[in-house]
Amino acid sequence: MQNFIVGNWKMNQLSEDIKTFFKTLEENRQELKDKNAWVAPQHIHFPLVREIATKLGIKTGAQNCSHQEKGAFTGDISPAALKDLGCDFVITGHSERRTIFKEPDEIINQKNRLALKNNLEVIFCVGETLEEREAGRAEEVVKKQIFEGLKGISATEMKKMMIAYEPVWAIGTGKTATPLQAQEMHAFARTLLKELQYPETKIPILYGGSVNPGNVAELMSQTDINGALVGGASLKAHDFIKLCEAS
Ligand code: PGA
């Protein structure tokens, strides 16, 4: 399985930043050849990003979507509207959505199902907090998130799904999980996928949390790590290129 590098840009750039980013990527397009590079900008930048990204073979996705098909949900964006704009994928269950926006597993599950129904690929995030890890509850937490988040999703639908293991304590903190810690949790997640009767070896499991050009190669060399979901480092064009090169 080829590794994936997915940039989660969060709420950071303005359009000029995006143009500058892609100018550098275009100048180094050779480095991106045959790589699985994906980016998720803010929704509003989607058409701008998509136009340039497609030329470079980069997939464009959303950082979030509504759990509802349509209707009176002021400010929300439906998976159908994303698909209509040519969106390739959506990130669900990110820890910032879980904690800041209080999204429970049930809503995340609805998002997963609706996104798949609308033919979007899904990067479904799970991960424990530092408190949960220190209390020895990391596996229990991830198991619940995976079991609840994947309810009602068939083995066929899972072909459009990736799991991203992102320990909350490693996100934006500069504290990466050691390759061994990450590998252990990825292997555990794979056993859960097997338990759920999915083709577990075919489902990519990405690692996320302070991935950068300096640590990406060692993380990617682990048996059960199939790519990285990257925040901070993915905003810098040269770092993004290096991440892709190392993947
Ligand atoms: P980070 O973010 O790489 O800045 O730690 C990762 C993420 O939140 O997906």
mmCIF file of all heavy atoms in Angstrom, residues 112-118 120-122 150-162 198:
data_model
loop_
_atom_site.group_PDB
_atom_site.id
_atom_site.type_symbol
_atom_site.label_atom_id
_atom_site.label_comp_id
_atom_site.label_asym_id
_atom_site.label_seq_id
_atom_site.Cartn_x
_atom_site.Cartn_y
_atom_site.Cartn_z
ATOM 1 N N ASN A 112 -20.029 10.085 8.726
ATOM 2 C CA ASN A 112 -19.339 9.041 7.958
ATOM 3 C C ASN A 112 -20.284 8.398 6.948
ATOM 4 O O ASN A 112 -19.953 8.238 5.773
ATOM 5 C CB ASN A 112 -18.800 7.961 8.902
ATOM 6 C CG ASN A 112 -17.569 8.415 9.670
ATOM 7 O OD1 ASN A 112 -16.919 9.379 9.286
ATOM 8 N ND2 ASN A 112 -17.253 7.739 10.761
ATOM 9 N N ARG A 113 -21.477 8.057 7.427
ATOM 10 C CA ARG A 113 -22.424 7.343 6.555
ATOM 11 C C ARG A 113 -22.916 8.222 5.413
ATOM 12 O O ARG A 113 -23.011 7.790 4.270
ATOM 13 C CB ARG A 113 -23.591 6.807 7.379
ATOM 14 C CG ARG A 113 -23.067 5.726 8.314
ATOM 15 C CD ARG A 113 -24.084 4.842 8.996
ATOM 16 N NE ARG A 113 -25.438 5.248 8.982
ATOM 17 C CZ ARG A 113 -26.202 5.353 10.072
ATOM 18 N NH1 ARG A 113 -25.698 5.105 11.264
ATOM 19 N NH2 ARG A 113 -27.455 5.690 9.974
ATOM 20 N N LEU A 114 -23.197 9.482 5.753
ATOM 21 C CA LEU A 114 -23.716 10.399 4.728
ATOM 22 C C LEU A 114 -22.634 10.752 3.693
ATOM 23 O O LEU A 114 -22.910 10.847 2.499
ATOM 24 C CB LEU A 114 -24.241 11.663 5.419
ATOM 25 C CG LEU A 114 -25.178 12.541 4.616
ATOM 26 C CD1 LEU A 114 -26.384 11.760 4.113
ATOM 27 C CD2 LEU A 114 -25.647 13.724 5.469
ATOM 28 N N ALA A 115 -21.425 10.930 4.169
ATOM 29 C CA ALA A 115 -20.319 11.248 3.245
ATOM 30 C C ALA A 115 -20.111 10.086 2.274
ATOM 31 O O ALA A 115 -19.976 10.276 1.062
ATOM 32 C CB ALA A 115 -19.048 11.535 4.025
ATOM 33 N N LEU A 116 -20.136 8.861 2.795
ATOM 34 C CA LEU A 116 -19.961 7.685 1.933
ATOM 35 C C LEU A 116 -21.108 7.570 0.932
ATOM 36 O O LEU A 116 -20.893 7.284 -0.249
ATOM 37 C CB LEU A 116 -19.877 6.413 2.784
ATOM 38 C CG LEU A 116 -18.605 6.263 3.631
ATOM 39 C CD1 LEU A 116 -18.764 5.145 4.652
ATOM 40 C CD2 LEU A 116 -17.389 5.998 2.751
ATOM 41 N N LYS A 117 -22.311 7.845 1.425
ATOM 42 C CA LYS A 117 -23.492 7.789 0.551
ATOM 43 C C LYS A 117 -23.344 8.777 -0.610
ATOM 44 O O LYS A 117 -23.815 8.540 -1.716
ATOM 45 C CB LYS A 117 -24.729 8.136 1.389
ATOM 46 C CG LYS A 117 -26.039 7.920 0.699
ATOM 47 C CD LYS A 117 -27.205 8.189 1.628
ATOM 48 C CE LYS A 117 -28.441 8.527 0.810
ATOM 49 N NZ LYS A 117 -29.386 9.337 1.570
ATOM 50 N N ASN A 118 -22.679 9.879 -0.342
ATOM 51 C CA ASN A 118 -22.469 10.894 -1.375
ATOM 52 C C ASN A 118 -21.165 10.689 -2.148
ATOM 53 O O ASN A 118 -20.659 11.598 -2.794
ATOM 54 C CB ASN A 118 -22.515 12.290 -0.760
ATOM 55 C CG ASN A 118 -23.940 12.718 -0.490
ATOM 56 O OD1 ASN A 118 -24.628 13.172 -1.386
ATOM 57 N ND2 ASN A 118 -24.402 12.522 0.746
ATOM 58 N N LEU A 120 -18.078 10.338 -1.263
ATOM 59 C CA LEU A 120 -16.835 11.004 -0.852
ATOM 60 C C LEU A 120 -15.966 9.965 -0.161
ATOM 61 O O LEU A 120 -16.476 9.063 0.515
ATOM 62 C CB LEU A 120 -17.138 12.129 0.152
ATOM 63 C CG LEU A 120 -17.883 13.344 -0.398
ATOM 64 C CD1 LEU A 120 -18.483 14.149 0.747
ATOM 65 C CD2 LEU A 120 -16.925 14.220 -1.214
ATOM 66 N N GLU A 121 -14.655 10.100 -0.299
ATOM 67 C CA GLU A 121 -13.779 9.277 0.517
ATOM 68 C C GLU A 121 -13.743 9.912 1.906
ATOM 69 O O GLU A 121 -13.927 11.127 2.035
ATOM 70 C CB GLU A 121 -12.382 9.215 -0.095
ATOM 71 C CG GLU A 121 -12.410 8.456 -1.412
ATOM 72 C CD GLU A 121 -11.047 8.303 -2.038
ATOM 73 O OE1 GLU A 121 -10.220 7.554 -1.505
ATOM 74 O OE2 GLU A 121 -10.822 8.953 -3.070
ATOM 75 N N VAL A 122 -13.523 9.099 2.916
ATOM 76 C CA VAL A 122 -13.603 9.619 4.286
ATOM 77 C C VAL A 122 -12.325 9.302 5.059
ATOM 78 O O VAL A 122 -11.843 8.171 5.028
ATOM 79 C CB VAL A 122 -14.818 8.999 5.034
ATOM 80 C CG1 VAL A 122 -14.867 9.487 6.475
ATOM 81 C CG2 VAL A 122 -16.121 9.330 4.321
ATOM 82 N N LEU A 150 -18.149 3.594 13.097
ATOM 83 C CA LEU A 150 -18.312 2.762 11.889
ATOM 84 C C LEU A 150 -19.630 1.987 11.864
ATOM 85 O O LEU A 150 -19.847 1.181 10.952
ATOM 86 C CB LEU A 150 -17.133 1.792 11.770
ATOM 87 C CG LEU A 150 -15.752 2.445 11.573
ATOM 88 C CD1 LEU A 150 -14.666 1.389 11.446
ATOM 89 C CD2 LEU A 150 -15.734 3.356 10.345
ATOM 90 N N LYS A 151 -20.499 2.257 12.840
ATOM 91 C CA LYS A 151 -21.788 1.533 12.889
ATOM 92 C C LYS A 151 -22.542 1.665 11.574
ATOM 93 O O LYS A 151 -22.671 2.771 11.039
ATOM 94 C CB LYS A 151 -22.665 2.123 14.002
ATOM 95 C CG LYS A 151 -22.627 1.316 15.264
ATOM 96 C CD LYS A 151 -23.659 1.796 16.260
ATOM 97 C CE LYS A 151 -23.325 1.243 17.621
ATOM 98 N NZ LYS A 151 -23.888 2.032 18.692
ATOM 99 N N GLY A 152 -23.020 0.558 11.061
ATOM 100 C CA GLY A 152 -23.859 0.601 9.852
ATOM 101 C C GLY A 152 -23.087 0.762 8.555
ATOM 102 O O GLY A 152 -23.693 0.962 7.502
ATOM 103 N N ILE A 153 -21.771 0.701 8.617
ATOM 104 C CA ILE A 153 -20.968 0.867 7.391
ATOM 105 C C ILE A 153 -20.529 -0.513 6.880
ATOM 106 O O ILE A 153 -19.966 -1.309 7.644
ATOM 107 C CB ILE A 153 -19.763 1.798 7.646
ATOM 108 C CG1 ILE A 153 -20.304 3.215 7.949
ATOM 109 C CG2 ILE A 153 -18.810 1.826 6.446
ATOM 110 C CD1 ILE A 153 -19.279 4.197 8.408
ATOM 111 N N SER A 154 -20.825 -0.773 5.616
ATOM 112 C CA SER A 154 -20.551 -2.105 5.067
ATOM 113 C C SER A 154 -19.085 -2.262 4.674
ATOM 114 O O SER A 154 -18.356 -1.271 4.523
ATOM 115 C CB SER A 154 -21.424 -2.349 3.830
ATOM 116 O OG SER A 154 -20.962 -1.510 2.782
ATOM 117 N N ALA A 155 -18.684 -3.514 4.459
ATOM 118 C CA ALA A 155 -17.307 -3.794 4.033
ATOM 119 C C ALA A 155 -17.026 -3.137 2.679
ATOM 120 O O ALA A 155 -15.928 -2.656 2.425
ATOM 121 C CB ALA A 155 -17.090 -5.300 3.963
ATOM 122 N N THR A 156 -18.035 -3.092 1.821
ATOM 123 C CA THR A 156 -17.851 -2.441 0.511
ATOM 124 C C THR A 156 -17.621 -0.944 0.694
ATOM 125 O O THR A 156 -16.733 -0.355 0.071
ATOM 126 C CB THR A 156 -19.104 -2.663 -0.370
ATOM 127 O OG1 THR A 156 -19.411 -4.036 -0.334
ATOM 128 C CG2 THR A 156 -18.890 -2.204 -1.790
ATOM 129 N N GLU A 157 -18.410 -0.327 1.566
ATOM 130 C CA GLU A 157 -18.250 1.116 1.798
ATOM 131 C C GLU A 157 -16.871 1.422 2.400
ATOM 132 O O GLU A 157 -16.299 2.480 2.154
ATOM 133 C CB GLU A 157 -19.347 1.626 2.740
ATOM 134 C CG GLU A 157 -20.707 1.723 2.082
ATOM 135 C CD GLU A 157 -21.799 2.134 3.066
ATOM 136 O OE1 GLU A 157 -21.904 1.521 4.156
ATOM 137 O OE2 GLU A 157 -22.543 3.053 2.751
ATOM 138 N N MET A 158 -16.352 0.482 3.168
ATOM 139 C CA MET A 158 -15.051 0.706 3.820
ATOM 140 C C MET A 158 -13.920 0.895 2.807
ATOM 141 O O MET A 158 -12.854 1.387 3.150
ATOM 142 C CB MET A 158 -14.711 -0.451 4.764
ATOM 143 C CG MET A 158 -15.400 -0.392 6.102
ATOM 144 S SD MET A 158 -15.174 1.146 7.016
ATOM 145 C CE MET A 158 -13.559 0.943 7.727
ATOM 146 N N LYS A 159 -14.174 0.513 1.558
ATOM 147 C CA LYS A 159 -13.142 0.714 0.531
ATOM 148 C C LYS A 159 -12.875 2.194 0.305
ATOM 149 O O LYS A 159 -11.865 2.568 -0.264
ATOM 150 C CB LYS A 159 -13.589 0.073 -0.793
ATOM 151 C CG LYS A 159 -13.536 -1.428 -0.753
ATOM 152 C CD LYS A 159 -13.835 -2.013 -2.121
ATOM 153 C CE LYS A 159 -13.975 -3.512 -2.013
ATOM 154 N NZ LYS A 159 -14.977 -4.062 -2.899
ATOM 155 N N LYS A 160 -13.811 3.052 0.729
ATOM 156 C CA LYS A 160 -13.632 4.494 0.537
ATOM 157 C C LYS A 160 -13.253 5.184 1.855
ATOM 158 O O LYS A 160 -13.391 6.395 1.998
ATOM 159 C CB LYS A 160 -14.917 5.115 -0.013
ATOM 160 C CG LYS A 160 -15.216 4.661 -1.432
ATOM 161 C CD LYS A 160 -16.390 5.397 -2.034
ATOM 162 C CE LYS A 160 -16.059 6.749 -2.580
ATOM 163 N NZ LYS A 160 -15.281 6.745 -3.799
ATOM 164 N N MET A 161 -12.801 4.385 2.795
ATOM 165 C CA MET A 161 -12.565 4.932 4.125
ATOM 166 C C MET A 161 -11.133 4.702 4.579
ATOM 167 O O MET A 161 -10.548 3.665 4.310
ATOM 168 C CB MET A 161 -13.521 4.173 5.056
ATOM 169 C CG MET A 161 -13.628 4.700 6.401
ATOM 170 S SD MET A 161 -15.306 5.356 6.548
ATOM 171 C CE MET A 161 -15.235 6.004 8.158
ATOM 172 N N MET A 162 -10.599 5.707 5.289
ATOM 173 C CA MET A 162 -9.302 5.536 5.974
ATOM 174 C C MET A 162 -9.526 5.906 7.429
ATOM 175 O O MET A 162 -10.398 6.717 7.740
ATOM 176 C CB MET A 162 -8.272 6.527 5.454
ATOM 177 C CG MET A 162 -7.904 6.379 4.021
ATOM 178 S SD MET A 162 -6.484 7.468 3.728
ATOM 179 C CE MET A 162 -6.718 7.780 2.015
ATOM 180 N N TYR A 198 -14.152 -6.281 8.446
ATOM 181 C CA TYR A 198 -13.744 -5.492 7.295
ATOM 182 C C TYR A 198 -12.445 -6.090 6.746
ATOM 183 O O TYR A 198 -11.699 -6.735 7.496
ATOM 184 C CB TYR A 198 -13.479 -4.039 7.712
ATOM 185 C CG TYR A 198 -14.712 -3.290 8.180
ATOM 186 C CD1 TYR A 198 -14.689 -2.562 9.366
ATOM 187 C CD2 TYR A 198 -15.889 -3.298 7.433
ATOM 188 C CE1 TYR A 198 -15.805 -1.852 9.795
ATOM 189 C CE2 TYR A 198 -17.005 -2.604 7.853
ATOM 190 C CZ TYR A 198 -16.967 -1.881 9.032
ATOM 191 O OH TYR A 198 -18.057 -1.190 9.455
#
